[in-house]
Amino acid sequence: MADLSAFPITRRWPAEHPDRIQLYSLNTPNGVKASIMLEETGLPYEQHLVDITDNQSHTPEFLSLNPNGKIPAIIDPDGPGGRPLGLFESGAILIYLADKSGRFIATDPALRYETIQWVFFQNAGIGPMFGQVGFFNKFAGRDYEDKRPLQRYVAESKRLLGVLERRLDGRDWIMGTEYSIADVSTLGWVRNLITFYEARDLVEYDGLKNVPAWLNRGLARPAVQRGLEIPKRG
Ligand SMILES: N[C@@H](CCC(=O)N[C@@H](CS)C(=O)NCC(=O)O)C(=O)O
């Protein structure tokens, strides 16, 4: 039986199954990257709901695992060398779980880096920019009189969608015929932009062809459907 007592986060969110990967998350676009990947790989895991609307990701217990105070984060009791490994940043979690399972990342070194490149494209571009569209279109920023910030982030998001549209030309998935962590990373963000953030018309989503077809292919995957609901607020 794995001993996770060295991780203070387990005091607030106790592990019922310490031999399984511990997931601390909520089903936001960043959170679902980890849950979709865990569902896709079939790696045994235990989920813990961290309610960020209740500031739970800024509690001392959560900060002990992720000093940046954001979900998702994991502990793998059986990390490298058989020792427990704590990890935050969804991109790092995706690469780790891909390596651990040997799935959803190419073994060919050049293709592996290409996959990681698109994971970074999501984490450094799509996530931060789409997130700002959410803030200025749907949340507190909606009431700002000055609409230039909204316009700026909408324009940048449209540009990023254009990059994705061209990448998906003639490809089923971001890496071609193989579904990969690049898709896992990006699907939830595009879905969120046109649904929860209510920006479908703003970014002229219906003028795109390849992105909507790709999103539908992704959303048809049972593991994606399950992962999008994990962990869900009660
Ligand atoms: N770069 C981080 C971003 C994570 C992130 O922004 N998580 C949001 C939810 S989508 C969060 O935890 N927000 C709570 C807060 O900032 O207080 C990652 O990819 O893991």
Side-chain angles (χ1 to χ4, degrees), residues 71-218:
I71 59 97
I74 64 168
I75 300 172
D76 182 359
D78 184 24
R83 284 192 293 279
L85 175 78
L87 212 54
F88 63 88
E89 281 295 329
S90 57
I93 292 171
L94 286 181
I95 295 168
Y96 176 71
L97 294 175
D99 285 346
K100 184 179 175 82
S101 64
R103 301 192 63 196
F104 309 117
I105 193 160
T107 45
D108 172 81
L111 291 175
R112 176 183 165 82
Y113 286 120
E114 196 176 326
T115 311
I116 291 172
Q117 159 191 279
W118 285 101
V119 170
F120 270 74
F121 170 76
Q122 183 286 307
N123 279 263
I126 284 190
M129 293 302 119
F130 288 14
Q132 294 301 329
V133 171
F135 177 80
F136 286 104
N137 191 48
K138 170 94 185 261
F139 303 112
R142 195 183 45 184
D143 300 327
Y144 294 8
E145 230 168 79
D146 188 345
K147 294 299 168 201
R148 283 173 299 182
L150 172 66
Q151 288 159 4
R152 173 181 163 82
Y153 293 118
V154 166
E156 180 61 2
S157 296
K158 273 170 72 173
R159 193 190 66 77
L160 290 164
L161 281 172
V163 174
L164 194 56
E165 175 77 3
R166 288 188 291 282
R167 173 66 187 183
L168 287 166
D169 202 14
R171 293 183 176 91
D172 277 355
W173 304 108
I174 292 174
M175 285 304 294
T177 51
E178 298 295 320
Y179 175 77
S180 74
I181 54 172
D183 303 292
V184 173
S185 196
T186 313
L187 283 165
W189 272 104
V190 175
R191 173 179 176 265
N192 215 56
L193 181 72
I194 60 166
T195 57
F196 193 50
Y197 292 166
E198 300 171 2
R200 187 182 189 114
D201 294 341
L202 273 181
V203 299
E204 296 173 14
Y205 185 76
D206 295 311
L208 303 171
K209 193 178 94 215
N210 303 324
V211 172
W214 160 85
L215 179 62
N216 289 340
R217 266 191 296 279

Side-chain angles (χ1 to χ4, degrees), residues 4 9-10 13-15 17 20-27 30-39 43-50 62 65 71-77 85 87-88 90 93 97 226-227 229-232:
L4 300 181
I9 194 168
T10 60
W13 289 275
H17 304 281
R20 301 181 189 171
I21 293 173
Q22 304 293 305
L23 169 69
Y24 307 91
S25 191
L26 179 70
N27 63 334
N30 285 317
V32 298
K33 293 183 219 171
S35 46
I36 290 173
M37 186 62 177
L38 286 162
E39 289 292 326
L43 289 166
Y45 74 102
E46 179 177 353
Q47 54 171 293
H48 303 278
L49 188 145
V50 179
F62 188 88
L65 183 58
I71 59 97
I74 64 168
I75 300 172
D76 182 359
L85 175 78
L87 212 54
F88 63 88
S90 57
I93 292 171
L97 294 175
R226 290 194 302 275
E229 304 294 319
I230 298 172
K232 202 173 179 171

